[in-house]
Each structure stands twice: as C-alpha cells, then as structure tokens.
Amino acid sequence: MTTPFPFTAVVGQDDLRLALLLNAVSPAVGGVLVRGEKGTAKSTAVRALSALLPAVAVVPGCRFSCDPAAPDPSCPDGPHEPGPGAHRPARMVELPVGASEDRLVGALDIERALAEGVKAFEPGLLADAHRGILYVDEVNLLHDHLVDLLLDAAAMGASYVEREGVSVRHAARFLLVGTMNPEEGELRPQLLDRFGLTVEVAASREPDQRVEVVRRRLAYDDDPASFAARWAGEEAAVRQRIVAARELLPQVRLGDGALRQIAATCAAFEVDGMRADIVMARTATALAAWAGRTDVLAEDVRQAALLALPHRRRRNPFDAPGLDEDKLDRTLEEFSGESPDDDPDPDPDGPGGGGGGPAPDAGPQGGGDTGARPEEGDGGEPQPSGAGAGEQSAARAAEPFRTKALSVPGIGEGAAGRRSRARTEHGRTTGARRPRGALTKLHLAATVQAAAPHQRARGRSGPGLVIRRDDLRQAAREGREGNLVLFVVDASGSMAARQRMSAVKGAVLSLLLDAYQRRDKVGLVTFRGSAADVALPPTSSVDAAAARLESLPTGGRTPLAAGLLKAHEVLRVERLRDPARRALVVVVTDGRATGGPEPVALAGRAARLFAAEQVASVVVDCESGPVRLGLAGQLATELGGTAVTLDELRADAIAGLVKDVQGTSRRAA
C-alpha cells in the first residue's frame, strides 16, 4: 500500500487545509470545492486528509458500513442484530470523471427483480464512501446528471436507486470534496451553491516557500515511509485535535449576535436563498470548536464568510469569484453591537490567527486565497502575425444580450448538453432496442412484449412472467448534447471602428454566455494582417474565451481564407480527440477578403471545405452603413450555412433562424 503524503507536510495552502479540517470536524458543513491552477497540491491535500480521520466502527459483513451503535433500519444488508462492531480506517473513495450512473449509485439486477422478485443490489461508490470521504477530481468535467445525484445524496445523507418501481435506499453520509481547474470550465451556479465551502488556491510566488515545496516533495519521493515517519508527531496531534473538536462541537453556542452578523453578511452580499446562512452558521460553529472555544466570535463569522460566500456570488461565468473584504468588515462592525475599538483581539490560536493551519510553516491566514482569480491573459497575449501598421487598441465589449439557440442539424451522440438533439442516456423515451452490454434503462412494455409469446414454451405456471436475458429491452432515449462552438472572428482593419468592434464583441460575448448555459465547448480563431491565430483552443472555459476576446486588438488586412483554413484545421484535430462531438462554426465578419493573390477566390475555396463536410455554420454579418455589399451572405452560401446581421442575432428578432440553419444544411446535403 502506498504511503500517502502527510497532511501536515503540505506547505502553505492554509485556507485549503482549514476548509478540509472544518469538514472533518463537522461534515454537516457540506463539503469543499477547491478551485485553482494545476500543480497546487489540491489532490495531495485531499488524499492526505483521510489518514487524519478517526477509525470508524462498522457492522461486520455489512457492505454499507452501518454503525453498530445505530444501524440503518433500511440497510439492504439488514436488519442487523445488536453486537460488537469491527473498526476500520475511514475510507477515501475517488469518483472518476468517466464513471457511469450505475457505478456511482449502484446497480439493481432488473432481470432478477422481474423474474424472481429479488432486490439484488450491487452497491456503488456512494455506499463505499459512507462515513468517509468522497473525492471528485475535475468535478467541473463530470456530467451534470451525475453531479446532481452526487449532491442530492450529500444533502439528504441517503442514496436512492429506483428502476421500474423497484426501489433501494441506503445511507450515504460522507465528506464531499471536489477539485477543479477553472480554465477547463465552470460549474453551474446551482451546483456551486450545493458545495458548503470553496477555496481558491494558487502556487506561492515566494522563492523560499517554493524551495521548501520542492525539498519536501523530493524527500517524499525518495523514501515515502521515512518521510511520513518524520511527520508522525504532527499528524497525531492534528488527529487528536479533530477528535477533541468533534466532542466539543455540540457544546458550542451560536448566539443571537453572531446569527445577526451572519444574516446581515449574506444579505449585504445579495446571495440567493438561505443555504449560505446555514452553511456560514455551521462553519462558524466548527471554527469555534476547532479553536477549542464554546462561543462563536466575530472572527469565526468573518472566516466563515470568506470560505462560504465567494462562489455563491457568481451570476454568470464572466463574474470573478471573490469577496470585498472591506465591505465584509464594515458589515460585521455595523452588526457587532460594539465599537471597533472595543473589539477583542483575535485568538492567536484560532483559525484567524497563527494556529488555523496544522503545519508549523503555515503562511498568512484570513482568506487571502479567496479573492479574484488572476485574469486570463495578464502579461500580454502573443500578437497575430502581421499585427503591425494600423493596429488599434482593444475595444471594450458592449453589454451582452440573450440570443436564440443555434443548433446542429440531425441527431448526434455527443456529450450531454443543452444544444442539439442527440441519443442520450437521459431524456424522453423514443423507442426500445436490445441492450449493448449492461442494461441501464429498462423499457418495461417492450420487455413484456418480447417475453409474452414464450410463456407456454417456458412452462409458466405462476402469476409472474418467465423472463430470459434475450427478452430485456433497453429504452432508447433522446435528449440534448453539447457541441463545439468555434468562433472565427475578423479582427482586421475593416472591423476596427471602435463602436462597431464593441458591438461585435458584445455579440460574441452573448453567444459565449449561451454556450456556457448549453454546456458547449468553445474555441476562438482570429484573423488579421497576413495570417490567422488560434486565440483559444477548444475548451469548456467560456470565461477564458471572454478574456481573450476582451483583449483582442484590431488592424491590418483581412486574410479571410487563412481564418477559415485555420478553423478547418482546428476542427480536424478536435474530431480525432472527440469524434462524437459535433461542431457549429460561427464566423463573425463583414465578408471582405484582402491581401495576397486572389483573396476572394481563395476564401471561397476554403469555405467550400466546410460545405463538403456538412459542418453546420452561421455567418454573423457585421457590415454596416447605407451601402452594403452583401459579401457575408455570399460567404454563408459558400459555407452551406446561413447569414444573420448583428440586429437579427437578438432573441426577439431571429425566431426562424434555427429553421434557416437546418433548411440550408439539408439543401447543401
């Protein structure tokens, strides 16, 4: 068995360690979402936490880890007879990104349930994680329906598996920890709200601290057992502190003054619903217990706000997470009932002081990592080729607006989303088929119809049907998929009028917001000067695309053909990576093509490559003024797509656009 990296040996990341420890003290806090760049010890800290949790007493032989002192009365392996339990270490269960629903919640043997009336149930990862830790790395890449199931189980403390009227329930109480890199895409606000706490982590910029990180990692890799032994004393001290805090927790008093501060803080920051208030109350109580106190103080409320509120203030993917700490301090002072001069000094051993983190070399506390993330593109973006004469500074985007959905024609089989029609595991039932592999969604009527003609030959004598494996039918379902929306944006001099480019960026920003809501991947290709550049390879992070768009300068000639050819190459590479994900190309241009020999003819040939491959496309016509050349419309015809103006892109003006896209694609086919 691999020796885990010691939790107390993690350098810095004090907010991350504190949030994990608070959930270890009080799992009712609701888990932790850890956001940050790669290589910041997110996974290392989570995996190390399991070694600090006290051992759990379980009923021998119970697959659902029932507590012998209070066994679950509805346990599928029960009822359990009273008796002494066995002790085992707390588990840490990892949920892979590609896990199926059956792997998460468990699988019910439908064939035995129909034929024998037996609830034959194979537990899933939720059962394995009961009374332990459930860790989801890259939780933002997990399918939405799995995240919903996961968070529902975490909120209710139980998992339900229901198939065609057959139901199994078992307890599922665990410490939920998710990690994610925001560059790979965001979670929906509704899902963010279900995580109790959030922590922003980033690599230290202090050379001494970075040296210590490398030194400890190399020592651990050379001899894990010896390295862990060096930290055994600190690990034991933190483990004992967790046990003591758990025992003290029921005695902690959350007074009316602290409750008013919590309510006032949530109201001041305009968070939705009441979950934030409840999480803050539980977090402040756990902070007091962790500090060895029985009263919740103002610094507990402040630290709870820094951990529980930043992710609940995001309204769309372009909002940076974070909290205005000056506003927080003013709110706490206003509702403290005492003047700032009378405030007691913070407890030096509490979470807001030097003792909040377990490691002796902990860095500064106070939620420093919960502020806004570093902006994408800081430090200067690489300029496209030919960005010389005539270059203008970047124009700010106009306010985004609601757009009507653009969809890809036909029925796909891509990743679950909300844009185009697709055959999926979730959605409305459209028919039945023989199962390929394990049966997941039974079509009951088709199964009975397949079995009925054979009942006499099978010697049926009782009221139940005699079911064979060949009789089972899988429900065929139709839902929605997410697509790759590839933006090809003209940044040449013909687009460079500031008011015009501002409107163009506002339109693309609106489409990016729509792509976020419909769970698409997005990519950004820009062209100007003499060449085109991939400003952003296909990604699930629409806020990264918005940041690149915001800093996009303009100027130079219009190499339209280069932009289309670069987009075609991006699609070719993406098909190799993800063949099932279909693409929608959105070309934002006035249709002009200049520079090089025969630029118009070359652009036409490049456009016909998309038409030949039946790639769904839309041209957003940015031409303005009283005299219009109609070049964007000609480009749309060459692409086999449709053209819309900036005004027509608004939701209240393009009711027939989807039909136009589909009709044009059918004619091209």
Side-chain angles (χ1 to χ4, degrees):
M1 181 177 177
T2 304
T3 303
F5 192 92
F7 186 85
T8 50
V10 175
V11 179
Q13 307 299 6
D14 302 314
D15 287 331
L16 167 58
R17 293 185 295 165
L18 179 59
L20 292 172
L21 289 169
L22 292 177
N23 274 270
V25 171
S26 175
V29 166
V32 186
L33 176 64
V34 187
R35 299 162 46 92
E37 60 196 29
K38 53 188 176 292
T40 49
K42 300 189 298 292
S43 299
T44 299
V46 175
R47 293 189 175 99
L49 178 65
S50 60
L52 297 179
L53 298 183
V56 295
V58 297
V59 173
C62 177
R63 297 175 297 167
F64 301 88
S65 302
C66 279
D67 186 348
D72 181 8
S74 60
C75 175
D77 285 355
H80 299 299
E81 297 294 331
H87 285 77
R88 64 161 177 78
R91 292 174 179 160
M92 194 200 74
V93 177
E94 294 194 43
L95 175 62
V97 170
S100 65
E101 180 179 337
D102 285 346
R103 184 73 185 97
L104 176 63
V105 301
L108 191 63
D109 192 331
I110 296 296
E111 184 175 0
R112 292 190 64 191
L114 290 176
E116 305 173 27
V118 175
K119 294 183 181 179
F121 181 69
E122 184 66 29
L125 294 176
L126 292 180
D128 292 341
H130 180 46
R131 306 175 68 198
I133 301 173
L134 183 60
Y135 172 45
V136 189
D137 194 13
E138 298 180 318
V139 64
N140 52 323
L141 303 183
L142 200 64
H143 284 178
D144 284 350
H145 74 281
L146 292 182
V147 178
D148 288 333
L149 290 170
L150 184 65
L151 295 177
D152 284 344
M156 296 186 297
S159 175
Y160 294 84
V161 182
E162 299 201 16
R163 299 281 173 80
E164 307 299 338
V166 181
S167 176
V168 173
R169 175 207 173 276
H170 65 83
R173 292 183 294 275
F174 46 80
L175 194 168
L176 176 63
V177 183
T179 56
M180 58 175 283
N181 184 344
E183 294 178 357
E184 298 173 340
E186 286 288 353
L187 280 171
R188 303 197 315 265
Q190 297 90 333
L191 300 181
L192 282 172
D193 184 54
R194 300 292 290 274
F195 281 94
L197 309 180
T198 188
V199 177
E200 294 281 329
V201 297
S204 172
R205 299 297 183 259
E206 292 293 329
D208 290 343
Q209 196 171 70
R210 295 176 74 96
V211 166
E212 186 62 21
V213 169
V214 175
R215 181 181 291 118
R216 294 187 187 183
R217 187 71 215 189
L218 292 177
Y220 170 77
D221 290 341
D222 288 342
D223 190 348
S226 175
F227 183 82
R230 287 166 46 194
W231 292 88
E234 288 83 350
E235 293 281 286
V238 174
R239 190 178 299 109
Q240 292 171 4
R241 190 173 176 184
I242 292 174
V243 173
R246 284 184 174 184
E247 294 174 351
L248 183 63
L249 186 65
Q251 305 171 39
V252 176
R253 187 180 69 89
L254 183 65
D256 289 344
L259 273 175
R260 284 183 59 81
Q261 286 185 316
I262 290 170
T265 301
C266 292
F269 285 99
E270 300 180 348
V271 295
D272 296 332
M274 296 297 298
R275 184 175 283 117
D277 303 63
I278 296 170
V279 170
M280 274 191 65
R282 289 171 173 166
T283 304
T285 303
L287 281 161
W290 177 248
R293 290 185 268 101
T294 56
D295 287 311
V296 174
L297 304 181
E299 60 260 32
D300 299 325
V301 177
R302 186 182 192 278
Q303 183 69 63
L306 292 172
L307 293 172
L309 296 187
H311 62 301
R312 292 184 165 88
R313 301 191 63 243
R314 286 177 67 95
R315 294 296 189 272
N316 64 62
F318 311 133
D319 293 337
L323 215 60
D324 184 340
E325 295 193 33
D326 291 336
K327 180 178 179 180
L328 173 61
D329 290 335
R330 290 195 301 270
T331 302
L332 294 176
E333 288 175 5
E334 180 181 353
F335 288 86
S336 66
E338 53 191 356
S339 65
D341 293 336
D342 296 330
D343 284 348
D345 291 333
D347 182 359
D349 295 326
D361 59 350
Q365 295 277 346
D369 288 337
T370 59
R373 284 177 293 139
E375 291 293 325
E376 293 279 345
D378 284 348
E381 292 293 325
Q383 298 298 324
S385 304
E391 179 176 311
Q392 299 189 17
S393 60
R396 295 191 63 83
E399 283 296 314
F401 51 84
R402 188 171 63 89
T403 68
K404 281 287 183 68
L406 309 176
S407 65
V408 177
I411 300 180
E413 295 183 344
R418 299 181 177 182
R419 184 172 296 278
S420 304
R421 294 173 59 198
R423 286 180 284 270
T424 64
E425 288 295 319
H426 298 269
R428 63 186 182 90
T429 301
T430 58
R433 59 174 174 81
R434 291 181 180 274
R436 295 190 291 267
L439 178 72
T440 55
K441 300 291 182 182
L442 179 74
H443 194 295
L444 183 58
T447 299
V448 172
Q449 187 176 8
H454 307 291
Q455 295 307 295
R456 180 175 296 179
R458 293 173 181 173
R460 172 186 168 188
S461 58
L465 288 175
V466 180
I467 302 292
R468 299 286 186 266
R469 175 69 184 174
D470 291 342
D471 301 329
L472 298 178
R473 294 294 182 269
Q474 175 86 18
R477 300 193 173 193
E478 183 178 307
R480 293 278 168 177
E481 67 177 0
N483 299 119
L484 167 61
V485 181
L486 182 61
F487 294 93
V488 186
V489 180
D490 183 350
S492 64
S494 66
M495 302 280 288
R498 296 193 66 82
Q499 185 175 0
R500 183 178 179 189
M501 197 63 196
S502 177
V504 168
K505 287 187 175 183
V508 177
L509 203 62
S510 304
L511 291 168
L512 281 171
L513 183 58
D514 180 69
Y516 164 77
Q517 294 167 342
R518 298 183 186 280
R519 315 304 291 166
D520 294 315
K521 291 181 70 173
V522 296
L524 179 62
V525 172
T526 63
F527 57 94
R528 68 188 182 99
S530 60
D533 286 281
V534 181
L536 185 71
T539 176
S540 296
S541 178
V542 295
D543 52 345
R548 302 296 171 88
L549 178 72
E550 188 69 25
S551 61
L552 179 67
T554 57
R557 294 183 177 272
T558 312
L560 177 57
L564 295 175
L565 291 174
K566 181 67 72 173
H568 186 267
E569 176 64 16
V570 170
L571 292 184
R572 184 190 69 80
V573 173
E574 193 63 18
R575 283 193 205 101
L576 297 176
R577 294 174 178 167
D578 190 355
R581 188 180 291 269
R582 299 185 295 163
L584 174 65
V585 176
V586 179
V587 185
V588 184
T589 181
D590 57 10
R592 289 179 172 82
T594 60
E598 299 183 341
V600 176
L602 187 59
R605 288 198 295 271
R608 287 191 288 275
L609 292 175
F610 292 84
E613 297 175 2
Q614 298 184 7
V615 177
S617 59
V618 175
V619 178
V620 179
D621 185 358
C622 302
E623 192 174 25
S624 60
V627 180
R628 295 173 180 265
L629 302 178
L631 299 176
Q634 297 176 23
L635 175 62
T637 301
E638 297 278 7
L639 286 166
T642 188
V644 295
T645 66
L646 287 174
D647 291 336
E648 292 170 339
L649 197 59
R650 296 181 178 272
D652 55 0
I654 57 170
L657 181 57
V658 173
K659 292 182 179 178
D660 292 342
V661 173
Q662 294 173 340
T664 305
S665 298
R666 291 192 188 100
R667 288 194 297 274

